[in-house]
């Protein structure tokens, strides 16, 4: 009898100790988050970003002078969209892009096509018309790698045949500007915006599109004051 009683007591003690050692399934619900000490995450700024500067603004532009095989000694002609900026050949939209850049110190991005346009403007006009008729999408040679860095995009281009150059269709179809602000600055011989704003809104429906600024090609070289006044109206510049 004593032996049986001893065995019973040993079993009872084992069960009691086992129950005390089992974890409480609801234990986690009783933790007060305030009791947990969480070290803050330190994020170092990227090397290509300047703290306190306008690096959240990008100026992207497509211009004939930088998409054709022209020498730096090419004759300047605003009507042919050939301009010179600091000793380098560009075009009308390129000049405006640099004027904006000098005023707000944003980043510049020149949109380049894989295949250059002809070295004469008349041939380029004809090719632009042919691309428009064919609804072509010229391949782009360079690409924006850090688009997420920018929330405001100034976009410049010539008005070709009352429309965007087809290279700009390639550009808009490559990138998603949802949540970003687009500010266009087309150049033209007198066509202004045409239906370009409507086209951009259709290509980038989730972006905020501002009307922007259009400058006649004959007034490009004297456009700095107009550019400065326009930027001031948008809250940029000095």
């Amino acid at each position: 009898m004593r032996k049986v009683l001893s065995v019973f007591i040993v079993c009872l003690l084992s069960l009691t100790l086992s129950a005390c050692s089992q974890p409480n399934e609801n234990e986690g619900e009783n933790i007060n988050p305030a009791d947990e000490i969480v070290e803050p995450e330190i994020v170092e700024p990227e090397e290509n970003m300047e703290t306190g500067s306008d690096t959240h603004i990008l100026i992207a532009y497509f211009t004939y002078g930088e998409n054709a095989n022209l020498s730096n000694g090419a004759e300047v002609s605003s009507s042919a969209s050939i301009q010179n900026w600091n000793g380098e050949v560009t075009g009308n939209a390129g000049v405006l892009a640099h004027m904006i850049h000098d005023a707000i110190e944003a980043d510049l991005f020149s949109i380049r096509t894989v295949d250059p346009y002809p070295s004469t403007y008349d041939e380029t006009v004809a090719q632009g018309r042919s691309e428009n008729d064919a609804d072509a999408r010229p391949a782009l040679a360079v690409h924006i790698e850090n688009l997420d860095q920018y929330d405001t995009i100034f976009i410049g281009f010539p008005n070709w045949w009352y429309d965007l150059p087809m290279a700009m269709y390639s550009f808009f179809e490559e990138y998603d500007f949802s949540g970003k602000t687009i500010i266009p600055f087309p150049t033209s011989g007198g066509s202004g915006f045409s239906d370009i704003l409507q086209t951009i809104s259709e290509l980038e429906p989730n972006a905020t599109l501002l009307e922007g600024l259009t400058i006649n090609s004959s007034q490009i070289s004297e456009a700095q004051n107009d550019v400065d006044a326009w930027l001031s109206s948008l809250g940029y510049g000095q």
Side-chain angles (χ1 to χ4, degrees), residues 17-91:
L17 291 174
S18 176
C20 292
S21 65
Q22 292 296 315
N24 185 349
E25 293 181 359
N26 296 324
E27 195 173 62
E29 297 176 8
N30 297 324
I31 295 176
N32 184 352
D35 294 335
E36 295 183 344
I37 300 176
V38 180
E39 292 294 333
E41 181 181 2
I42 305 299
V43 180
E44 296 293 337
E46 297 180 16
E47 293 183 358
N48 64 339
M49 295 185 66
E50 300 177 13
T51 304
S53 66
D54 288 332
T55 52
H56 64 284
I57 302 174
L58 178 67
I59 305 168
Y61 66 98
F62 172 81
T63 194
Y64 165 66
E66 295 182 29
N67 277 281
N69 293 322
L70 302 174
S71 67
N72 285 336
E75 183 179 355
V76 171
S77 172
S78 61
S79 61
S81 191
I82 301 174
Q83 298 280 0
N84 187 290
W85 187 269
N86 293 335
E88 296 185 0
V89 170
T90 184

Side-chain angles (χ1 to χ4, degrees), residues 2 10 23 29 33 36 39 46 79 92 97 100 121 141 152 157 159 165 173 184 186 188 193 220 229:
R2 290 181 180 177
V10 170
E29 297 176 8
E36 295 183 344
E39 292 294 333
E46 297 180 16
S79 61
N92 294 333
I100 297 169
Y121 189 69
T152 301
F157 46 84
N159 181 332
E173 290 173 2
S188 74
F193 285 106
I220 295 296

Side-chain angles (χ1 to χ4, degrees), residues 169-200:
Y169 280 87
S170 300
F171 176 80
F172 281 117
E173 290 173 2
E174 178 175 345
Y175 302 104
D176 180 3
F177 292 111
S178 294
K180 302 182 185 297
T181 298
I182 297 175
I183 308 176
F185 56 98
T187 63
S188 74
S191 302
F193 285 106
S194 300
D195 294 327
I196 286 174
L197 294 178
Q198 177 63 31
T199 300
I200 295 176

Side-chain angles (χ1 to χ4, degrees), residues 153-172:
I153 321 291
F154 286 82
I155 302 181
F157 46 84
N159 181 332
W160 281 2
W161 300 104
Y162 311 102
D163 198 358
L164 294 166
M166 300 315 291
M168 292 306 300
Y169 280 87
S170 300
F171 176 80
F172 281 117

